[in-house]
Amino acid sequence: MSNVTVKQLAEVVGTPVERLLEQLKEAGIEAESADAAISDEDKFKLLDHLRSSHGKGSAAGAGKKKITLKRKTTSELKVTGSGTSRKTVNVEVRKKRTYVKREEATVSDEKAKLDQLMAEKEQRDIERAAAEEETRRKAEQAAKEKAEQEARAKEQAEARAREEEQAQAQAALEAQAQAQTEGKKEPVSDKSAKDSAKAKKGKKQPEKADTRYGRNELHVSGGKPGGRKKKPSRKVRAASDAVGKHAFEKPVAAIVHEVSVPETIKVSELAAKMSMKAAEVIKVMMKMGVMATINQVIDQDTAILLVEECGHKAISMSEDDREQSLLDTASQELGELVARPPVVTIMGHVDHGKTSLLDHIREAKVAAGEAGGITQHIGAYHVETDKGVITFLDTPGHAAFTSMRARGAQATDIVILVVAADDGVMPQTIEAIQHSKAAGVPLIVAVNKIDKEEADPDRVKTELGNHEVIPEDWGGDNIFVNVSAKTGEGIDDLLDAVSLTAEVMELKSPATGPGKGLVVEASLDKGRGVTTTVLVQQGVMKKGDLLVAGQEYGRIRAMFDENGQQISEAGPSIPVLVLGLSGTPSAGDPAQVMADERSARELAEMRHHKDRDSRLAAQQQAKLDSLFANMGKGDVKKLNVLLKADVQGSLEAIREALLKLAVDNDEVDVAIVGSGVGGINDTDISLAAASNAIVMGFNVRADATARKSVAERGVDLHYYSVIYDLIDEVKQALTGMLEPEYREDIIGLAEVKDIFKSPKFGLIAGSLVTEGVIKRSQPIRVLRDNVVIYEGELESLRRFKDAVEEVRSGTECGIGVKNYNDVKVGDQIEVFERVQVERTL
């Protein structure tokens, strides 16, 4: 027998390799690993070692050749007799086994046994390899036969389909020819063609002819009786289905869809776009590690990964693209560009005469009707002058109406900056200059109130020159006109300047097609509903059109001009009052006439969802920012306010002004729990009562139900008609919520000259007042070498033996310090008082 390895020998003898290596080492045979070779001599040497270790051939084991073991077991057997008698029999089983010790085998027998075991192992390996090869060959042969069978079945199905098509076509031709010979004009129907094809097919196959029962029995062979045919086996039926002419074939190539993915989408909608079941899509998401339900909304990045995971092509689509496509579709029918009137915005500081100047142009009295004599709404007026038609926008000058002035500058073509000749440049004047420059519109300066004695137009030019507004006579680009809204001086020159500037600008816009404009103002009227002032910028807006303004849409029920006269349509640069929207849009929102209601609803809902998502994201960010900002600080006191106003622009201005009040203060804050346009109703009072808020109405009133709820719930309700009154009261309320601050004022200083002991007050410091006044029961500080060593209260103050309330400078006195007995000569006693400081925002 040839040499074997340690591993092979271990498999033959049935022992672990590690155990065999230990035994080889004990026998003195060098074998380092399982792959080491073992010769026949090593095997014999190992065998001798094992025999000696088990006592073979020794004297101890030579005398005993066999071992006998005896075992006895006893059990009970119950035997049932006649009747109810039962007998129990004890059964004893004795076992005797003799184990004879095996005789020592010769070396040749051991060698033969090892050779036989190794040969048997090799034979088993050869047989196993042959069996595996045979199994693989059979599997390949079966797969090849299956493929050939499928190919034959497919060819047979295609051949049958071609024969059937040819037969139907031939039958249709024959039927048509027969109809023509018989004089029939109508074409042969598909049903008659199929019947003729079946008839022809029946002639070619006589074995399928009618039987004696007068019908065609398809399952009965020719010449055989019409008995019940044996039900075919499952394999035969599957084969017949595979080759049948109506068999369904799965598409060979996978269908790849181009899926447009918006910024957010539901799982069900995404599954419908991919033509997949929602359950399958959810399974794919679970494999990706994303858990979602069928109605859950996922973001765009997750949806794109999911579409690509499903084998489709994802195309990212933003809501802005969809919105722009709807707007482009609505503005495709715009006509040619024609000249249009200019839109002029009058801006300036409060009480500089903007509305009075416009009154003189319109020959109306608007300023007298405004609360407090100031403009609080943005007004649009269409004026026919000798210089042509001009549209004026009058903006408020108060500091709170910054957003209104910004909208006015964006919607305008020319800005008239009104500056009072006696007052000069003011903060809102500078702000108006910045708005006009940001909008990129030309600026005309109207120096008003030149009829006053203290008027100084040159001073106005100089101050405006510091803000890069240079007059034409100084070499600049801005036209300066001296006017007087009271006497009418310079009004014609101002209109000439406006007409000249508009002529240079060559203002044009489409005069036909769907109207498009800008929301100037919006309010809620109890009788007419939502009223919206729209400045038409291009196209024509007509009564009955579908209008989308911001997040609101509706059909225009009525249109009015600035004088309240009902009109049927409005062209470019014309302001118009529109009724019929579903809600009050925000001032500054774009307004567009849509072709159909579906597009209008889709555009409005898209803007609504976008605004809601942005507001939620802003709220989450604000909460996070406030969490980090207030970390480590005390609780912030909040003033809850519920705000109702007459128009959307005023509401926005008041909200921004209130939120700015407590920006730089960490102790108080304003929280607007609710706001809206229109009167105060019972729902507003309920919300205010639940949130402990103050209800503020700006140019609106509460109805009867709301007033009753105010009395019952004790809600604080305030009415305002001037915006700065509202802001001032809120500011006072916030000031009252601030924690009081105290200032320490030093009122006196005394120097200790001697120390006395009193049985009643303890240690008394004999002192000389060096500065100010020493008062009794005031807080003091004890200074030693100008360092504070004690702070307490002055308990007793005596002049000689008399107790006094105060001691002035240059006078000696005795001072008793409360709960302190370590005063020394040379110390200074400082007396001070705490004064409360009034705090403001």
Side-chain angles (χ1 to χ4, degrees):
M1 185 178 177
S2 60
N3 294 346
V4 296
T5 62
V6 175
K7 184 176 181 181
Q8 292 174 345
L9 183 60
E11 291 178 358
V12 171
V13 299
T15 186
V17 178
E18 292 78 4
R19 176 61 179 162
L20 184 58
L21 288 173
E22 292 178 359
Q23 292 176 347
L24 290 171
K25 187 176 181 181
E26 292 174 356
I29 302 171
E30 296 181 358
E32 299 297 333
S33 63
D35 296 331
I38 304 296
S39 61
D40 293 340
E41 295 179 358
D42 294 337
K43 295 176 186 176
F44 296 145
K45 189 174 180 181
L46 175 62
L47 187 59
D48 293 340
H49 169 70
L50 294 175
R51 284 175 178 172
S52 61
S53 63
H54 287 84
K56 293 290 184 179
S58 62
K64 201 168 184 180
K65 296 292 183 180
K66 63 181 179 179
I67 299 173
T68 302
L69 298 178
K70 296 181 180 180
R71 292 182 180 178
K72 182 176 69 173
T73 57
T74 304
S75 60
E76 293 184 353
L77 180 64
K78 296 182 179 181
V79 180
T80 304
S82 59
T84 58
S85 61
R86 293 185 178 181
K87 295 182 179 180
T88 302
V89 179
N90 292 330
V91 180
E92 186 180 61
V93 179
R94 296 179 181 179
K95 294 182 180 179
K96 179 179 180 183
R97 291 185 180 182
T98 302
Y99 297 92
V100 181
K101 196 170 184 180
R102 184 170 59 87
E103 294 292 337
E104 295 183 1
T106 61
V107 175
S108 58
D109 292 340
E110 293 292 339
K111 181 180 179 181
K113 184 177 180 181
L114 289 174
D115 292 342
Q116 182 180 359
L117 292 174
M118 291 298 294
E120 290 177 355
K121 182 178 180 301
E122 291 176 359
Q123 183 64 26
R124 286 196 302 270
D125 293 341
I126 293 171
E127 291 177 355
R128 185 166 58 251
E132 290 177 356
E133 180 66 23
E134 180 67 19
T135 303
R136 186 182 60 80
R137 187 183 60 80
K138 288 182 178 180
E140 291 179 354
Q141 183 67 22
K144 185 177 180 182
E145 291 178 356
K146 184 177 181 181
E148 292 177 354
Q149 184 178 0
E150 291 179 354
R152 285 197 302 271
K154 188 175 181 180
E155 290 176 359
Q156 290 176 4
E158 291 177 354
R160 289 191 180 186
R162 286 196 296 271
E163 291 178 0
E164 193 172 312
E165 289 176 359
Q166 292 175 1
Q168 290 180 358
Q170 185 66 26
L173 290 174
E174 291 179 359
Q176 190 173 1
Q178 184 179 358
Q180 290 177 356
T181 52
E182 293 178 359
K184 294 181 179 180
K185 295 182 180 181
E186 66 275 2
V188 183
S189 63
D190 295 340
K191 186 174 181 181
S192 61
K194 291 181 180 180
D195 295 341
S196 59
K198 289 182 180 180
K200 186 174 181 181
K201 194 172 181 180
K203 291 180 181 179
K204 290 182 179 180
Q205 298 176 358
E207 66 275 2
K208 298 277 181 136
D210 294 343
T211 61
R212 61 180 179 273
Y213 299 106
R215 58 186 174 86
N216 191 358
E217 296 185 0
L218 299 178
H219 298 287
V220 181
S221 303
K224 292 187 179 181
R228 182 183 295 273
K229 187 176 180 181
K230 185 179 179 182
K231 188 175 181 181
S233 64
R234 186 175 300 175
K235 294 182 179 180
V236 176
R237 190 185 304 114
S240 63
D241 292 341
V243 300
K245 62 181 180 180
H246 296 295
F248 172 76
E249 293 183 3
K250 187 178 180 180
V252 180
I255 301 176
V256 179
H257 296 282
E258 290 187 355
V259 182
S260 57
V261 183
E263 294 179 359
T264 56
I265 188 173
K266 286 185 179 181
V267 176
S268 57
E269 296 175 359
L270 186 61
K273 288 188 175 184
M274 293 189 295
S275 299
M276 294 177 62
K277 293 182 179 179
E280 297 297 329
V281 175
I282 293 175
K283 287 181 182 178
V284 176
M285 293 181 68
M286 292 175 68
K287 292 179 181 178
M288 294 170 58
V290 179
M291 306 299 292
T293 60
I294 188 173
N295 293 321
Q296 188 167 339
V297 179
I298 58 178
D299 57 0
Q300 190 178 50
D301 296 336
T302 306
I304 290 175
L305 292 176
L306 179 59
V307 170
E308 293 176 351
E309 185 71 19
C310 294
H312 300 287
K313 183 179 179 181
I315 301 175
S316 60
M317 181 186 68
S318 64
E319 293 184 359
D320 296 336
D321 297 338
R322 177 58 179 164
E323 181 177 345
Q324 190 60 39
S325 65
L326 289 173
L327 292 176
D328 293 342
T329 304
S331 0
Q332 285 178 356
E333 302 176 358
L334 291 174
E336 297 180 357
L337 298 178
V338 295
R340 64 172 176 84
V343 179
V344 180
T345 298
I346 299 180
M347 305 177 72
H349 193 72
V350 62
D351 201 24
H352 273 205
K354 299 181 297 298
T355 307
S356 300
L357 182 63
L358 183 59
D359 289 345
H360 198 281
I361 297 174
R362 297 175 58 214
E363 296 179 356
K365 296 291 182 181
V366 178
E370 291 284 355
I374 64 171
T375 300
Q376 302 182 117
H377 307 101
I378 183 168
Y381 307 99
H382 167 225
V383 180
E384 294 182 2
T385 65
D386 297 336
K387 312 299 180 182
V389 178
I390 302 176
T391 298
F392 287 96
L393 297 180
D394 186 15
T395 61
H398 193 273
F401 296 97
T402 302
S403 57
M404 282 193 183
R405 289 190 291 275
R407 281 196 301 273
Q410 292 171 359
T412 191
D413 302 317
I414 302 170
V415 170
I416 294 179
L417 179 62
V418 179
V419 185
D422 60 339
D423 204 3
V425 175
M426 300 299 286
Q428 271 64 57
T429 309
I430 301 172
E431 183 188 313
I433 295 172
Q434 295 172 349
H435 287 322
S436 61
K437 287 183 178 180
V441 295
L443 184 68
I444 298 175
V445 179
V447 183
N448 195 18
K449 300 183 181 181
I450 61 171
D451 55 312
K452 288 189 173 183
E453 295 181 359
E454 59 269 20
D456 189 0
D458 293 334
R459 171 195 165 197
V460 174
K461 291 182 180 181
T462 304
E463 291 179 351
L464 289 176
N466 297 331
H467 297 282
E468 300 180 358
V469 180
I470 312 298
E472 285 183 335
D473 51 357
W474 288 7
D477 300 329
N478 300 104
I479 301 175
F480 277 65
V481 182
N482 295 334
V483 298
S484 173
K486 186 175 182 181
T487 63
E489 180 183 352
I491 298 295
D492 292 336
D493 296 336
L494 180 63
L495 295 178
D496 288 338
V498 171
S499 300
L500 178 62
T501 306
E503 186 178 350
V504 172
M505 295 176 67
E506 295 182 355
L507 302 172
K508 292 183 179 181
S509 67
T512 59
K516 179 181 179 182
L518 188 74
V519 175
V520 177
E521 195 59 271
S523 61
L524 184 62
D525 191 289
K526 191 171 184 180
R528 298 188 296 180
V530 178
T531 60
T532 308
T533 304
V534 179
L535 175 64
V536 183
Q537 295 175 323
Q538 62 183 19
V540 179
M541 197 170 293
K542 301 178 182 179
K543 179 181 178 181
D545 287 343
L546 280 166
L547 182 66
V548 176
Q551 304 175 27
E552 310 298 336
Y553 75 99
R555 192 175 297 276
I556 299 176
R557 294 189 286 109
M559 298 172 65
F560 302 90
D561 59 8
E562 66 271 12
N563 297 320
Q565 301 296 324
Q566 190 165 356
I567 58 177
S568 59
E569 64 179 32
S573 301
I574 302 298
V576 62
L577 189 69
V578 174
L579 305 182
L581 291 181
S582 56
T584 53
S586 299
D589 285 343
Q592 174 70 55
V593 173
M594 304 299 291
D596 53 7
E597 187 176 357
R598 179 180 178 184
S599 301
R601 185 187 299 109
E602 182 180 357
L603 183 58
E605 290 179 354
M606 193 180 302
R607 289 175 176 174
H608 176 72
H609 292 316
K610 185 177 179 180
D611 180 69
R612 183 187 62 182
D613 294 341
S614 62
R615 279 190 289 104
L616 290 176
Q619 288 177 2
Q620 295 294 333
Q621 186 64 32
K623 289 180 180 178
L624 187 62
D625 293 343
S626 63
L627 176 65
F628 286 108
N630 296 327
M631 190 174 293
K633 300 180 181 179
D635 294 335
V636 179
K637 295 182 180 179
K638 285 190 176 182
L639 176 64
N640 296 329
V641 176
L642 191 144
L643 188 61
K644 295 299 287 287
D646 55 343
V647 294
Q648 190 73 32
S650 299
L651 179 68
E652 180 183 358
I654 296 171
R655 186 192 298 116
E656 292 179 359
L658 293 183
L659 293 177
K660 287 180 182 178
L661 285 178
V663 170
D664 299 329
N665 197 292
D666 298 333
E667 298 182 24
V668 293
D669 192 10
V670 177
I672 299 178
V673 298
S675 61
V677 176
I680 302 171
N681 51 36
D682 186 51
T683 306
D684 299 328
I685 303 301
S686 299
L687 177 59
S691 55
N692 194 19
I694 301 173
V695 181
M696 293 185 173
F698 184 76
N699 287 334
V700 294
R701 295 293 181 267
D703 55 18
T705 308
R707 290 195 298 270
K708 185 177 179 182
S709 298
V710 167
E712 292 176 353
R713 297 170 179 261
V715 176
D716 197 4
L717 174 63
H718 298 272
Y719 294 137
Y720 302 94
S721 58
V722 181
I723 187 170
Y724 50 74
D725 292 341
L726 187 150
I727 296 174
D728 290 344
E729 288 204 13
V730 174
K731 195 172 182 179
Q732 292 176 4
L734 291 176
T735 303
M737 294 169 62
L738 293 173
E739 292 291 338
E741 285 187 355
Y742 294 93
R743 183 181 71 248
E744 294 181 354
D745 294 339
I746 299 174
I747 60 174
L749 185 65
E751 184 178 353
V752 179
K753 297 295 185 179
D754 201 355
I755 303 298
F756 304 98
K757 290 185 177 179
S758 170
K760 184 177 180 181
F761 298 104
L763 202 63
I764 300 297
S767 308
L768 175 66
V769 181
T770 58
E771 295 180 11
V773 180
I774 305 298
K775 293 184 178 181
R776 187 179 178 183
S777 301
Q778 292 290 334
I780 64 169
R781 294 188 185 95
V782 179
L783 307 180
R784 184 173 296 166
D785 297 330
N786 292 325
V787 177
V788 178
I789 61 174
Y790 178 76
E791 183 173 347
E793 184 181 349
L794 196 152
E795 185 177 14
S796 65
L797 180 64
R798 288 180 178 268
R799 173 78 175 144
F800 297 107
K801 293 184 179 181
D802 300 327
V804 293
E805 292 296 327
E806 64 179 32
V807 178
R808 297 190 174 273
S809 175
T811 309
E812 294 181 348
C813 62
I815 298 175
V817 182
K818 189 176 182 178
N819 298 328
Y820 187 69
N821 294 320
D822 193 22
V823 181
K824 295 182 180 179
V825 177
D827 292 347
Q828 290 179 327
I829 298 176
E830 181 183 83
V831 183
F832 62 94
E833 62 180 359
R834 293 185 174 93
V835 180
Q836 184 174 348
V837 180
E838 183 180 355
R839 299 188 63 187
T840 57
L841 291 176

